Amino acid sequence: MNPEEIYKTLIDRFGDAVLGFDFELVGDPNIQIAPAAIAAVCQYLAETDSLAFNSLMCLSGVDLGAKDEEFSVVYHLHSLRYLHSVVLKTSMPKTDPHLPTVSHIWKTADWHERETYDLYGIFFEGHTDLRRILLPDDWEGYPLRKDYMEPDFYRGMRVPY
């Protein structure tokens, strides 16, 4: 299946939770999903035999900057059985960055969600071990946010190089 066919399948199944299909961007076309529905859509894509998206290749956070009031999370999925791929994208307000976890669908999401939490501060509800993975537990802030201010010192050590 190509991404447009997958989009039509998701519209039929999830209706208004499927917010759009963007095929004009450079790179892979993506299907926009409402944040509350992202786990249900992923579950459907993984468990439906005709789709069989058994691989989460990447899950990434995105902060487009101060003018944009939302964070996005992008999911790159692949089917090893049918050799097709799809990109899902969901967005949530920066004031309340919460999404349901998909770590119960794909084990690799455990690490990807922890990294996204660590660097962007996006919380994945239902994740069994959401804690920092790259930075120390007592680090303040989320370094990949565009509004992040690097501290001068951490535990008495100068931070900037």
Side-chain angles (χ1 to χ4, degrees):
M1 285 187 145
N2 65 40
E4 189 171 1
E5 293 169 325
I6 295 165
Y7 170 69
K8 290 176 183 174
T9 300
L10 293 177
I11 285 283
D12 291 342
R13 177 79 163 100
F14 293 96
D16 292 343
V18 180
L19 305 176
F21 179 63
D22 190 349
F23 56 90
E24 294 181 359
L25 290 176
V26 174
D28 296 324
N30 66 76
I31 302 170
Q32 293 89 36
I33 306 294
I38 192 68
V41 169
C42 287
Q43 188 86 43
Y44 176 77
L45 290 171
E47 292 180 352
T48 301
D49 194 52
S50 62
L51 298 167
F53 283 100
N54 55 351
S55 176
L56 171 67
M57 298 186 306
C58 185
L59 181 157
S60 304
V62 179
D63 181 359
L64 295 176
K67 293 181 182 178
D68 189 1
E69 298 298 319
E70 294 183 326
F71 289 124
S72 295
V73 174
V74 181
Y75 302 75
H76 290 260
L77 310 179
H78 183 72
S79 170
L80 296 171
R81 182 185 307 163
Y82 299 117
L83 301 179
H84 57 218
S85 299
V86 70
V87 178
L88 303 179
K89 183 177 179 181
T90 190
S91 298
M92 79 280 333
K94 288 182 177 180
T95 57
D96 187 29
H98 287 79
L99 285 176
T101 186
V102 296
S103 61
H104 59 287
I105 303 167
W106 301 288
K107 296 292 183 195
T108 190
D110 178 277
W111 293 84
H112 291 286
E113 289 177 351
R114 284 181 60 193
E115 180 180 25
T116 302
Y117 161 72
D118 195 10
L119 299 175
Y120 290 95
I122 298 171
F123 294 86
F124 292 89
E125 302 295 332
H127 192 285
T128 59
D129 189 21
L130 194 61
R131 59 188 164 97
R132 291 203 183 263
I133 193 169
L134 299 172
L135 296 166
D137 290 338
D138 61 345
W139 191 266
E140 292 185 22
Y142 304 99
L144 290 185
R145 287 186 177 190
K146 298 293 185 184
D147 61 354
Y148 177 72
M149 299 297 291
E150 186 175 34
D152 290 331
F153 291 91
Y154 171 72
R155 295 187 177 184
M157 296 179 289
R158 186 160 176 72
V159 174
Y161 290 101

